[in-house]
Amino acid sequence: MSPRRIYLSPPDVTKTERDLLMDAFDSNWISPAGPDLTAFESELGERCDRAHVAALASGTAALHLALQLVGVGPGDDVLVPSFTFVATANAVCYLQARPCFVDSEPGSWNIDPDLVAADLDRRAAEGRLPAAVVPVDLYGQCADYDRLVPVCAEHGVPLVADAAEALGAIWAGRPAGSFGLLAALSFNGNKILTTGGGGALVGDDEALVDRARHLATQAREPAPHYEHAETGYNYRLSNLLAAVGRGQLRRLDEMMHGRAQIHGAYRAALADRAGIGFQPVPGPSGPNRWLTVVTVDPAEAGTDRERLRLALEAADIEARPAWKPMHLQPVFAGAPMIGGAVCEAVFADGLCLPSGSSMSDDDLARVLEVLTSALP
């Protein structure tokens, strides 16, 4: 009998989540309303140090609404890191705006604040500032908000944080999701906290978050009949999924610890292997270790990322290349790009390793054995 497949980042759910889900089910609060939804929003706000939260159907929905709320519209430019999941750029396109891609900085792989600052200075001189800047907290590690927030404020450009991958992470003592006018979270099935599908928009401006809730419930007006004065969306999270999220949130620190232990095991096993590197962690950063990502330098390692991935796949172990930069994606061919060498190099050499906190010791040992055996 062949061993079961080991996935990259599967859900980690327990009786805690099941009990809360069944309590919500038995209460008959099934729809996108109910006490668990209200409580989940409140608890998320405490975790992210935000006054207001709207729980939504996805992190992409949160990004879409956030950009709409800060005024992004047709023909606008929005600065976005090239090294990210496609949802960050897609949300810009939903509003008929144009994503303008920015390279990563080598010291974290997040968007390069110096490139952002230089571009904003240039655009200001030309009188064509972007409608927003959207940093991404990559692989569970916050962007450098110490540098990004002041430069955006200097030019009066809204900062919307894509914290989809980073719930539980910190930057300079502040939690992911606490930066920017608004921030987006994701609870997709592969995230460190999952509701199966879902996300949230978080912020401190009550009017903005209330407006997000209004738009997310089909922009229904307060009337006894169904009255609509503008286009809305079906974006609210259900009470049932919010109940699962509450259980996950109670276990977030435990799950982060589990992923950190797995990350530490990879570091220990690969410490003396030539040509193997890890995502750099700047001093103020406290990553949630959503995914462990290594780089494989073919000249030094004697192999490459793809041969390593295929060796793991042959053993029924899922690993994936690092994000393919957006400026290399066919859908964004011809989009503006600042730099590119850093994120292209990480894509060429980067490999995401199994990182789920539910991974057993035996499964981890199996991954490490295949990984180390595949290296010369």
Side-chain angles (χ1 to χ4, degrees):
M1 181 178 177
S2 61
R4 65 182 181 85
R5 183 166 178 78
I6 297 174
Y7 291 97
L8 186 71
S9 181
D12 179 355
V13 290
T14 66
K15 187 174 183 297
T16 299
E17 292 86 347
R18 186 184 187 282
D19 288 347
L20 285 164
L21 173 62
M22 294 312 299
D23 286 346
F25 182 88
D26 291 341
S27 74
N28 207 36
W29 283 104
I30 307 296
S31 65
D36 283 292
L37 184 64
T38 302
F40 186 42
E41 290 177 337
S42 175
E43 291 157 7
L44 277 172
E46 291 180 13
R47 184 75 198 215
C48 295
D49 193 22
R50 289 292 204 173
H52 304 284
V53 177
L56 302 169
S58 67
T60 310
L63 283 170
H64 178 198
L65 289 177
L67 292 171
Q68 182 171 335
L69 289 167
V70 302
V72 175
D76 286 338
D77 283 350
V78 177
L79 299 190
V80 176
S82 185
F83 197 44
T84 183
F85 179 57
V86 71
T88 316
N90 280 346
V92 176
C93 297
Y94 295 166
L95 295 162
Q96 300 176 57
R98 181 175 72 159
C100 299
F101 298 115
V102 182
D103 201 0
S104 303
E105 58 175 351
S108 72
W109 303 350
N110 279 307
I111 192 169
D112 189 326
D114 291 338
L115 294 180
V116 172
D119 192 57
L120 291 181
D121 286 344
R122 178 179 60 82
R123 286 171 174 271
E126 296 170 354
R128 56 181 196 91
L129 285 166
V133 174
V134 186
V136 174
D137 298 338
L138 187 74
Y139 296 129
Q141 177 163 276
C142 291
D144 188 343
Y145 293 106
D146 288 347
R147 293 152 68 198
L148 290 165
V149 170
V151 74
C152 288
E154 176 187 345
H155 292 287
V157 176
L159 188 155
V160 172
D162 182 346
E165 302 171 5
L167 183 63
I170 58 171
W171 177 266
R174 289 180 55 185
S178 68
F179 299 94
L181 182 59
L182 295 166
L185 306 172
S186 173
F187 314 130
N188 190 38
N190 67 351
K191 294 299 187 295
I192 194 164
L193 179 156
T194 183
T195 57
L201 182 146
V202 301
D204 295 318
D205 187 319
E206 183 175 11
L208 280 180
V209 179
D210 282 348
R211 173 95 176 125
R213 256 193 223 97
H214 173 69
L215 291 171
T217 49
Q218 300 287 19
R220 182 183 176 185
E221 299 294 329
H225 56 278
Y226 285 93
E227 181 81 9
H228 306 275
E230 59 186 324
T231 301
Y233 314 97
N234 184 17
Y235 276 177
R236 283 292 265 160
L237 188 71
S238 78
N239 191 68
L240 291 182
L241 296 186
V244 175
R246 293 186 70 198
Q248 287 269 283
L249 196 55
R250 292 176 188 179
R251 298 182 50 245
L252 178 58
D253 289 329
E254 167 196 331
M255 293 188 291
M256 286 172 55
H257 177 73
R259 290 183 187 245
Q261 294 291 104
I262 291 166
H263 177 85
Y266 285 132
R267 278 195 175 272
L270 300 173
D272 4 352
R273 299 292 181 140
I276 303 297
F278 288 81
Q279 181 181 11
V281 180
S285 181
N288 68 4
R289 297 301 184 194
W290 173 51
L291 290 182
T292 289
V293 187
V294 295
T295 54
V296 186
D297 182 338
E300 294 185 19
T303 187
D304 59 29
R305 173 259 285 169
E306 189 59 11
R307 278 183 281 182
L308 207 55
R309 186 189 70 79
L310 291 173
L312 290 163
E313 184 59 40
D316 217 5
I317 297 168
E318 183 184 26
R320 290 186 186 176
W323 297 127
K324 181 177 182 179
M326 292 300 102
H327 73 280
L328 300 181
Q329 299 284 357
V331 67
F332 297 119
M337 176 66 193
I338 302 169
V342 176
C343 62
E344 288 174 16
V346 179
F347 169 59
D349 294 342
L351 185 66
C352 304
L353 298 176
S355 304
S357 53
S358 60
M359 187 159 50
S360 69
D361 291 342
D362 287 346
D363 284 348
L364 179 57
R366 183 174 138 209
V367 175
L368 292 173
E369 181 182 1
V370 174
L371 194 59
T372 54
S373 297
L375 290 168

